[in-house]
Amino acid sequence: MEKYKKIKTDDKRIEMFKNLNIKKSVSKTLLCLSTEEGVSSTTICQLTGLKQPEVSNAIKCLEESNWVSVTEVKSKKAGRPIKYYRLLISKEEIYETIEKNARKEVTERTECVERLKELVKDNGSIDDLD
């Protein structure tokens, strides 16, 4: 549990993820999954301080990116099987994807600014864009 203590308080990495438009719940869940394989949602909640719906939404987001796999294990008690989550790809590959997406976003924004500058130049004033 010692290695997990930082997840709740790792504000620097969480803030970096936030600056890259990655939700806090997704970043905390990702950090948790990167520390060990086979983590249940209950464990993620305990280790990150997130609530169950936040973890579920974060896992859904990570699954849509094909970064997480789910394994169901039948509970020893009656009831639903327990789901365990693990990363499908390495942290390095995930960070490369995040970097690629961030660079693409910067390029798109830069191109948008350049087009806007051209429109203003051609029309003489930003007020003429209506």
Side-chain angles (χ1 to χ4, degrees), residues 83-97:
K83 293 181 180 181
Y84 290 92
Y85 305 96
R86 68 176 184 83
L87 294 179
L88 279 173
I89 60 177
S90 70
K91 292 183 290 188
E92 291 75 18
E93 290 173 294
I94 290 171
Y95 294 142
E96 285 174 14
T97 302

Side-chain angles (χ1 to χ4, degrees), residues 6-130:
K6 270 191 99 172
I7 295 170
K8 284 186 183 177
T9 60
D10 196 352
D11 295 332
K12 187 181 251 184
R13 285 197 288 179
I14 302 301
E15 189 64 28
M16 292 168 120
F17 280 116
K18 182 181 172 187
N19 290 336
L20 294 167
N21 295 323
I22 297 173
K23 293 179 183 177
K24 186 176 186 177
S25 60
V26 173
S27 60
K28 283 188 168 194
T29 301
L30 185 57
L31 290 171
C32 185
L33 292 171
S34 70
T35 58
E36 190 170 309
E37 289 193 17
V39 182
S40 71
S41 60
T42 302
T43 303
I44 294 169
C45 289
Q46 292 169 345
L47 298 175
T48 62
L50 295 171
K51 303 220 180 306
Q52 181 62 47
E54 294 173 306
V55 172
S56 294
N57 289 335
I59 291 291
K60 184 178 178 183
C61 180
L62 295 170
E63 284 180 306
E64 288 170 357
S65 297
N66 293 316
W67 292 352
V68 171
S69 71
V70 182
T71 304
E72 291 189 4
V73 177
K74 191 171 182 171
S75 176
K76 293 177 184 173
K77 304 173 187 174
R80 297 184 197 175
I82 300 170
K83 293 181 180 181
Y84 290 92
Y85 305 96
R86 68 176 184 83
L87 294 179
L88 279 173
I89 60 177
S90 70
K91 292 183 290 188
E92 291 75 18
E93 290 173 294
I94 290 171
Y95 294 142
E96 285 174 14
T97 302
I98 291 169
E99 178 183 13
K100 179 180 161 188
N101 291 340
R103 290 184 186 282
K104 180 181 175 187
E105 186 177 323
V106 167
T107 300
E108 289 171 355
R109 287 179 180 234
T110 301
E111 289 171 357
C112 185
V113 168
E114 292 302 319
R115 286 192 305 269
L116 181 59
K117 285 166 51 175
E118 285 298 316
L119 285 171
V120 170
K121 186 172 97 177
D122 292 344
N123 292 323
S125 165
I126 200 162
D127 296 332
D128 296 335
L129 294 178
D130 295 338

